[in-house]
Structures are given as structure tokens and as C-alpha cells.
Amino acid sequence: MSIIIKDQAGIEAMRLACRLASEVLDYLDPHIKAGTTTRQIDELARGYMAQQGTVSATLNYQPPGYPPYPASLCTSLNHVVCHGIPNDKPLKKGDIMNIDVTVIKDGWYGDNSRMYVIGDASIAAKRLCALTFDAMWLGILQVKPGNHFGDIGHAIQKFAEGHGLSVVREFCGHGVGQNFHEEPQVLHYGRPGTHEQLKPGMIFTIEPMLNLGRKEVKELGNDGWTIVTKDHSLSAQWEHTVLVTETGYEVLTLSEGSPALPAFVQAVKT
Ligand code: MF3
Ligand code: CO
Ligand code: CO
């Protein structure tokens, strides 16, 4: 087993699948507000994917040892770290929520997630969301041929812990292409120069989960999927799918509604 290098046709197919995954989040944007239920959001997404000609990769997704995942996206609210299942509880002012969307287009997978602040949240909650966004981008900035996967993890961990946040260890980024999850595992912590070297044509996600409190997580325990922080502290996550180019990176999961890049990224690009 090894990391798949995508050819030009695969890269083009991934550009499309990933842009469509990002456009699902754009479409949902105005609907993410107090009073809406996560099940309504899931239904809206399912309808939009049908219009796009995509299918959800998460609906009925069943890795070994799991029950089939029952929804078209994941909604992870407040202390839910990941894999939250949409339900009939209305969102309320002050909630923070991650929506994670993976679509399949022509057999290729585009995977991305964003944080949403419902109404206005506490300073601490908004800071967690913003710092997690920056942490993801600091990881992305490490993507270039010759760098190692450990460089990505290290950049994220150093920044997160430097701001008093903790990095979830149990879930990581992953290679993605004609499979939802393929090699390698992209850890969000680690040491520079460790793990495999990045090569042009590799495509993988970077999706750090950062907690306001301790790093430990546990299963909620009644649905086989939902992961929460052990200490019930807030958790945030952002996710992009990224291509290694000859000179650096191309973020594939960008679209018109993507949030503005952090200032330190624009500074690097111009
Ligand atoms: N989209 C998630 C990821 O980033 C995986 C969700 S699996 C599900 O890898 F079944 F919970 F939807
Ligand atoms: Co992913
Ligand atoms: Co995802």
C-alpha cells in the first residue's frame, strides 16, 4: 500500500468534486441560523446535491465496526468533536457548529468542512473557531514537494498549543481521491521531518480538531458515531482537500462562498 499520485485527469476530476463539495456549504450558509434544525440542513443539502449531480459520501457510509452513517453530512455542535448526526433540535444563539460535507462526483470524492457561529457566541467560542481556521491554513502552508507530513502536523500543533488549545489525536486528515479515505493518515500533531515526503500529485485533507480544554475525546455512546470532548469543552474543526503541486499547494475545496483566507496566507501569495 502506498500513497496514490493522481494524474492530470484525476486532478481535473478532483478539482470539480471538491469545488462542488465547497458549493454545498456555500448553499447552506444562509440557512445556518437559530431555529433551524440540523435535520433541515441535512435535507437541504441532500436536495442541493441532487441538483449538482453529486451524491453524499457519508449517507450509509459504513467502515468496519460502525453502523451505517444515517445522513448526507455531519453536524458537530459545541462539544461534539466530529461525526455529529443531524437531529430535530433547533440551533440556538451562541452555538458553534461544524458542517462536514463529502460529495462524490463521477466516482471522485471532495471533502471539506467549515465552522458556523449561530447568532453571536462567546468570545472564547469565536476565538476557538478563528484559531482553528488559522491552524488549518498554517498546515496548508507546509504543503510543498520535499516537505514531510510531520511538518504539517508540527505547524498545527505548535500554533494550537501556543494558544492554549489542544489537538485531538484520534482523528486525522487522509488521502482522498476515488476512495473516501486512503493513505496517508495526515496527523495534526508531530515533529518536523517525520513521516513520508510530499510529492506532486498527492491529494489529501487537512482537518484539525482543536479543543478549548483537554485533548481527550470519547464516544457519545448511543449512536455509534458521535465523538465528544471528554471534559465537555468546546471543539472546532475546519477541513480542506489539498493538492501538492510542483511548487507548493492548490486548495481544491474553494468556491465563491469560501471564507477569506487569513492575512498571513495572502501575504505569502502576493
Ligand atoms: N467527512 C469526514 C472526514 O473528514 C468523515 C465523515 S464519516 C461519517 O473524513 F460517516 F461520519 F460521515
Ligand atoms: Co476528511
Ligand atoms: Co470531512
Side-chain angles (χ1 to χ4, degrees), residues 156-267:
I156 292 168
Q157 181 180 19
K158 192 174 144 207
F159 177 78
E161 293 179 356
H163 286 86
L165 306 175
S166 63
V167 180
V168 171
R169 302 300 204 268
E170 286 82 354
F171 300 91
C172 53
H174 50 91
V176 57
Q178 286 173 298
N179 307 288
F180 197 167
H181 297 104
E182 52 187 49
E183 282 190 43
Q185 296 195 17
V186 182
L187 305 183
H188 303 116
Y189 59 94
R191 281 175 294 116
T194 61
H195 302 289
E196 283 219 45
Q197 256 184 330
L198 279 61
K199 294 194 178 64
M202 289 181 178
I203 297 181
F204 51 83
T205 71
I206 298 179
E207 48 180 303
M209 281 142 274
L210 303 186
N211 299 345
L212 211 45
R214 296 182 57 84
K215 65 179 184 304
E216 286 77 15
V217 302
K218 62 178 183 185
E219 273 184 51
L220 187 61
N222 55 6
D223 62 27
W225 279 103
T226 308
I227 304 295
V228 297
T229 53
K230 217 173 196 172
D231 64 4
H232 276 241
S233 66
L234 291 176
S235 188
Q237 177 178 30
W238 290 81
E239 175 176 27
H240 270 312
T241 300
V242 181
L243 163 72
V244 186
T245 65
E246 296 295 330
T247 54
Y249 65 86
E250 177 180 330
V251 177
L252 301 179
T253 36
L254 287 174
S255 56
E256 219 134 275
S258 295
L261 313 193
F264 59 80
V265 175
Q266 282 159 348

Side-chain angles (χ1 to χ4, degrees), residues 5-234:
I5 304 289
K6 275 75 180 180
D7 64 12
Q8 209 47 49
I11 290 169
E12 277 306 324
M14 283 299 282
R15 283 194 178 114
L16 176 60
C18 289
R19 180 172 53 79
L20 292 170
S22 184
E23 285 177 359
V24 174
L25 293 172
D26 295 354
Y27 168 77
L28 292 175
D29 221 69
H31 300 283
I32 316 299
K33 51 178 200 274
T36 309
T37 69
T38 47
R39 197 187 305 281
Q40 288 169 328
I41 293 165
D42 183 55
E43 278 160 12
L44 286 165
R46 193 168 44 241
Y48 188 71
M49 288 178 200
Q51 279 184 43
Q52 282 184 322
T54 63
V55 292
S56 165
T58 58
L59 188 61
N60 296 318
Y61 177 57
Q62 187 172 23
Y66 284 79
Y69 186 79
S72 295
L73 42 68
C74 300
T75 49
S76 300
L77 201 65
N78 298 325
H79 73 297
V80 178
V81 173
C82 61
H83 304 166
I85 297 174
N87 62 27
D88 293 314
K89 226 179 120 190
L91 296 169
K92 58 180 199 309
K93 190 169 168 286
D95 285 338
I96 59 168
M97 178 172 63
N98 174 276
I99 301 186
D100 193 334
V101 166
T102 312
V103 301
I104 312 172
K105 178 70 172 179
D106 304 327
W108 295 84
Y109 289 69
D111 187 7
N112 70 163
S113 79
R114 298 182 196 161
M115 288 304 294
Y116 296 85
V117 176
I118 314 304
D120 200 17
S122 69
I123 302 247
K126 287 189 288 192
R127 175 176 172 272
L128 172 67
C129 296
L131 289 173
T132 306
F133 183 68
D134 288 354
M136 172 187 67
W137 273 101
L138 286 169
I140 292 171
L141 289 182
Q142 292 298 317
V143 175
K144 57 178 163 218
N147 267 14
H148 292 254
F149 281 98
D151 299 330
I152 298 172
H154 179 73
I156 292 168
Q157 181 180 19
K158 192 174 144 207
F159 177 78
E161 293 179 356
H163 286 86
L165 306 175
S166 63
V167 180
V168 171
R169 302 300 204 268
E170 286 82 354
F171 300 91
C172 53
H174 50 91
V176 57
Q178 286 173 298
N179 307 288
F180 197 167
H181 297 104
E182 52 187 49
E183 282 190 43
Q185 296 195 17
V186 182
L187 305 183
H188 303 116
Y189 59 94
R191 281 175 294 116
T194 61
H195 302 289
E196 283 219 45
Q197 256 184 330
L198 279 61
K199 294 194 178 64
M202 289 181 178
I203 297 181
F204 51 83
T205 71
I206 298 179
E207 48 180 303
M209 281 142 274
L210 303 186
N211 299 345
L212 211 45
R214 296 182 57 84
K215 65 179 184 304
E216 286 77 15
V217 302
K218 62 178 183 185
E219 273 184 51
L220 187 61
N222 55 6
D223 62 27
W225 279 103
T226 308
I227 304 295
V228 297
T229 53
K230 217 173 196 172
D231 64 4
H232 276 241
S233 66
L234 291 176

